[in-house]
Amino acid sequence: MFRRNFIPILILLLICFFILKPATVSEGAFNGLKIWINNIIPYLFPMSVLSNILLKYNFIYRAFERFSFISDKVLKNKYAMIPYFISFVSGYPSGAMTINTMLENKRINEMEANYLISFTNNCSFQFIAGAISFSMLNDFNLFKYIAAPHFIGAIIISFFIKNNTHYSIKRNNVRQAQITFHQAFSLSIYKSVTGILTVGVVIVIFSVFSNFFNDVLTSLSDTIHLSPYIKDIVYSLIVGSLELTNGCSIISSSSYVPLELKLIIINFLVSFSGMSVIFQTFAVTDKFELDLKNYVAYKFILGVISVLICILMFVFI
């Protein structure tokens, strides 16, 4: 009976928490809104509109079909580079949004969608280089220790899925009906606004959870007398597993953790993405049934692979 009623009971407990801790909830909500307004809308919204317009035309698919022999051999799907590239530019969860649109346009099937989303929904290069390396770590040149493991690791994940799950990818040669620019623009604006609002709601909710854990961990560390070194590592991993940006900010600002360990932790957090991004992905994939269990498992594996690549870079570069 408890398992059947777990979600309603959990929601009731959260409502009680919101009532008892209004200051914590308000602070977390405002922090989430800042992340959404400052980091998500300026980068994700314009690219979402443009990519949605592009995906309404046959041109983009024909263009990638010309290089499908490369994508088929390496990534096992002729359209895999489309969400991979858009995600590279726009970041989470633009890869998932692109896959959702491709499925809606009947360019891929549901099995392909679940295959592609495991390695093409990634962090943006701009966020890694600008927000993390330049703003948080104060050294732009460190981006290579985060970007290379992340994007190379995503390609490696595609090999891992290919060799162990034996997806039978169905090829699609569908031509979309001709559409006017006005229609494409209007539909893209609507889809983008809906997607951005959905992402914003998820960010705010998880920012509140992150703020709650901040208070809990602060109290615990004072009680059990954790060293600042251990506290910063544990705190960044727990908070970062909920919300990526806050976790990276915490470990980057630590004066006790050495740079190499900071980069290792950031690599894991960026590639795992955090529960906030995972639920953003879940929220924007309404055209197919996302295999959430497999997706989370592959994101965790990607985090481990990124860490290993980063360590190898320390040794050989």
Side-chain angles (χ1 to χ4, degrees):
M1 181 178 177
F2 177 77
R3 290 181 61 184
R4 187 174 65 230
N5 297 313
F6 175 75
I7 297 298
I9 292 171
L10 179 62
I11 297 300
L12 286 172
L13 290 174
L14 288 174
I15 291 172
C16 292
F17 158 68
F18 281 17
I19 294 171
L20 294 172
K21 296 283 187 178
T24 301
V25 173
S26 298
E27 184 182 358
F30 278 116
N31 288 338
L33 284 171
K34 287 178 184 177
I35 292 170
W36 183 56
I37 292 169
N38 295 330
N39 299 324
I40 301 299
I41 293 178
Y43 304 119
L44 185 57
F45 182 69
M47 180 55 67
S48 176
V49 173
L50 293 175
S51 61
N52 270 295
I53 292 173
L54 199 58
L55 292 169
K56 295 294 182 185
Y57 292 90
N58 289 300
F59 167 79
I60 186 67
Y61 299 103
R62 290 200 303 269
F64 276 90
E65 281 172 2
R66 293 182 180 276
F67 302 97
S68 63
F69 65 95
I70 299 175
S71 190
D72 270 334
K73 291 291 184 183
V74 178
L75 302 176
K76 202 182 175 185
N77 187 280
K78 62 183 178 182
Y79 296 136
M81 288 307 298
I82 297 176
Y84 187 87
F85 171 74
I86 290 176
S87 184
F88 177 89
V89 175
S90 299
Y92 297 120
S94 62
M97 295 168 73
T98 303
I99 291 167
N100 200 57
T101 302
M102 289 167 64
L103 181 64
E104 184 181 14
N105 294 337
K106 297 183 172 58
R107 290 293 177 168
I108 58 175
N109 58 41
E110 188 165 331
M111 184 179 289
E112 288 176 291
N114 271 296
Y115 167 72
L116 290 173
I117 204 169
S118 299
F119 66 92
T120 62
N121 188 43
N122 301 314
C123 191
S124 71
F125 176 81
Q126 188 172 16
F127 181 78
I128 291 172
I132 298 178
S133 301
F134 182 75
S135 298
M136 296 182 189
L137 294 172
N138 300 312
D139 187 349
F140 177 78
N141 293 321
L142 293 174
F143 78 87
K144 60 187 177 183
Y145 292 101
I146 308 169
H150 180 59
F151 294 111
I152 293 172
I155 300 296
I156 293 173
I157 282 288
S158 73
F159 298 149
F160 181 79
I161 301 171
K162 175 181 176 181
N163 292 332
N164 290 279
T165 57
H166 303 291
Y167 276 100
S168 177
I169 303 300
K170 178 183 176 182
R171 305 302 178 196
N172 298 283
N173 294 297
V174 179
R175 283 186 62 83
Q176 291 171 201
Q178 291 295 323
I179 187 171
T180 66
F181 175 75
H182 176 265
Q183 291 173 317
F185 184 72
S186 299
L187 289 170
S188 298
I189 289 288
Y190 175 77
K191 284 180 64 67
S192 299
V193 168
T194 304
I196 293 295
L197 286 173
T198 302
V199 168
V201 170
V202 176
I203 288 173
V204 169
I205 291 172
F206 275 89
S207 184
V208 171
F209 293 158
S210 175
N211 206 46
F212 169 71
F213 276 103
N214 180 11
D215 292 347
V216 171
L217 288 170
T218 301
S219 300
L220 281 175
S221 63
D222 292 339
T223 303
I224 60 179
H225 304 293
L226 286 175
S227 68
Y229 172 79
I230 298 297
K231 177 188 172 183
D232 287 349
I233 292 173
V234 173
Y235 182 29
S236 64
L237 284 171
I238 292 177
V239 173
S241 295
L242 285 174
E243 206 289 309
L244 166 64
T245 306
N246 287 335
C248 290
S249 177
I250 290 163
I251 195 65
S252 297
S253 61
S254 174
S255 56
Y256 303 99
V257 179
L259 179 61
E260 289 79 6
L261 186 53
K262 287 182 181 181
L263 289 169
I264 287 171
I265 292 172
I266 288 171
N267 262 287
F268 177 79
L269 295 178
V270 165
S271 294
F272 177 64
S273 76
M275 296 309 296
S276 175
V277 171
I278 289 170
F279 275 85
Q280 290 170 41
T281 301
F282 184 72
V284 300
T285 52
D286 61 318
K287 300 301 179 182
F288 67 100
E289 188 67 33
L290 175 65
D291 190 339
L292 192 59
K293 183 179 178 181
N294 274 348
Y295 179 73
V296 174
Y298 285 126
K299 294 304 289 184
F300 181 84
I301 294 170
L302 175 56
V304 174
I305 291 173
S306 298
V307 166
L308 294 176
I309 294 174
C310 181
I311 293 171
L312 289 174
M313 289 179 70
F314 291 152
V315 175
F316 294 105
I317 295 180

